[in-house]
Amino acid sequence: RKEVEQDPGPFNVPEGATVAFNCTYSNSASQSFFWYRQDCRKEPKLLMSVYSSGNEDGRFTAQLNRASQYISLLIRDSKLSDSATYLCVVNRWGDYKLSFGAGTTVTVRA
Amino acid sequence: GAGVSQSPSNKVTEKGKDVELRCDPISGHTALYWYRQSLGQGLEFLIYFQGNSAPDKSGLPSDRFSAERTGGSVSTLTIQRTQQEDSAVYLCASSDRTSGINEQFFGPGTRLTVL
C-alpha cells in the first residue's frame, strides 16, 4: 500500500464552483501535512500547510482528520487559474523525507 | 528573496554520456533534497543533505548516480553512463529544518532527455 494515496481525478468543474478532494495516508506517525500545487511542466509549489484544527487561506480550506488518517482540500469559487495538479504531502515529525501522493488533477472550465 | 535555482533547465544527451545537474538552494537553508519525476508519475526521493552530516543516499536508483554538496550550499547531481530510463525531470528542493516543520521549496527542475 502506498504511504499517500490520492484520487487522481480529473475533477472538471465550472468557474465559480466548489471542488473538494481527499488524500489518505497510511503512517499514523505522520505529523506534518501539506498541499502543493503543480502546474503542467512546472515544479511543485507549496500551497499551504495543514494544521490540526484545519486552516483556511483565502478560497482554500484544508482539513485534517487524524482518526481516519485523511486530509482534505476544498477550493471555493474556483478560478481558471486553479487548474493544476494538487499534491498531498505528509511528513513524520523530525523526519526529513516527505511522502508525496501522485496528485489530483483539477480542471476549471469557463 | 531568491528561490531555489537549477541549471541547466533542459539537457539532451546521448545514451552512455555523463551529465551534471546543478542546484543552488535558498540562502540559509541547511537541508537540500534531490527528487526525480518521470512523466505522469509522483516525486521519487533520491538523496538528502543536511548541513555537514553524511548524506542519505538511500533513494539513488543505481551506482551511476552520485551527488555532492560543496560548502553546505550548491549541490551537483551526476549521472554517469546515462540510460534512456534516466529521462525525467530532476527537481531540487531546500528547507530550513530549524523550525521542525519540513516545508520544502522546489527549484524549476532540469528536464533530462536521454536519446
Side-chain angles (χ1 to χ4, degrees):
Chain A
R1 181 185 175 188
K2 292 182 182 178
E3 188 163 352
V4 182
E5 301 213 43
Q6 295 185 249
D7 180 346
F11 288 77
N12 294 306
V13 299
E15 266 189 296
T18 295
V19 59
F21 41 90
N22 291 342
C23 148
T24 58
Y25 59 95
S26 60
N27 192 330
S28 59
S30 298
Q31 294 290 338
S32 301
F33 308 89
F34 310 95
W35 284 103
Y36 281 73
R37 71 170 278 166
Q38 186 171 27
D39 295 292
C40 188
R41 299 176 73 86
K42 297 286 190 180
E43 75 275 20
K45 293 190 176 178
L46 180 65
L47 178 66
M48 58 196 301
S49 301
V50 185
Y51 301 118
S52 294
S53 57
N55 47 301
E56 189 174 301
D57 184 359
R59 297 180 295 106
F60 297 84
T61 301
Q63 294 285 343
L64 168 62
N65 185 318
R66 288 189 185 274
S68 300
Q69 295 185 200
Y70 76 83
I71 310 133
S72 64
L73 182 66
L74 182 146
I75 308 173
R76 285 186 303 278
D77 188 23
S78 300
K79 310 292 185 190
L80 295 175
S81 57
D82 295 334
S83 297
T85 296
Y86 291 84
L87 305 176
C88 175
V89 183
V90 305
N91 181 216
R92 283 174 287 175
W93 187 260
D95 188 1
Y96 48 81
K97 289 185 185 179
L98 297 182
S99 297
F100 287 81
T104 297
T105 299
V106 173
T107 302
V108 182
R109 62 183 188 275
Chain B
V4 178
S5 61
Q6 291 186 247
S7 61
S9 55
N10 282 284
K11 177 70 177 179
V12 180
T13 190
E14 293 180 346
K15 178 181 173 180
K17 301 278 189 182
D18 297 352
V19 295
E20 281 191 356
L21 313 180
R22 176 189 165 105
C23 170
D24 202 340
I26 292 172
S27 178
H29 280 190
T30 57
L32 186 148
Y33 314 76
W34 283 98
Y35 295 87
R36 177 169 73 174
Q37 188 173 34
S38 300
L39 189 63
Q41 302 296 312
L43 274 73
E44 175 189 4
F45 167 81
L46 297 177
I47 189 168
Y48 160 77
F49 295 91
Q50 171 60 48
N52 296 320
S53 302
D56 176 357
K57 305 179 183 180
S58 61
L60 295 179
S62 78
D63 59 8
R64 297 186 295 104
F65 288 72
S66 63
E68 61 178 26
R69 188 180 185 191
T70 53
S73 181
V74 172
S75 176
T76 303
L77 177 69
T78 301
I79 309 173
Q80 295 179 308
R81 306 182 301 283
T82 52
Q83 304 295 311
Q84 289 183 331
E85 61 262 29
D86 299 335
S87 296
V89 177
Y90 289 81
L91 291 158
C92 175
S94 70
S95 69
D96 173 10
R97 301 217 52 232
T98 56
S99 70
I101 299 174
N102 194 4
E103 292 182 345
Q104 296 184 13
F105 298 88
F106 286 83
T110 294
R111 186 172 301 276
L112 175 66
T113 302
V114 182
L115 301 175

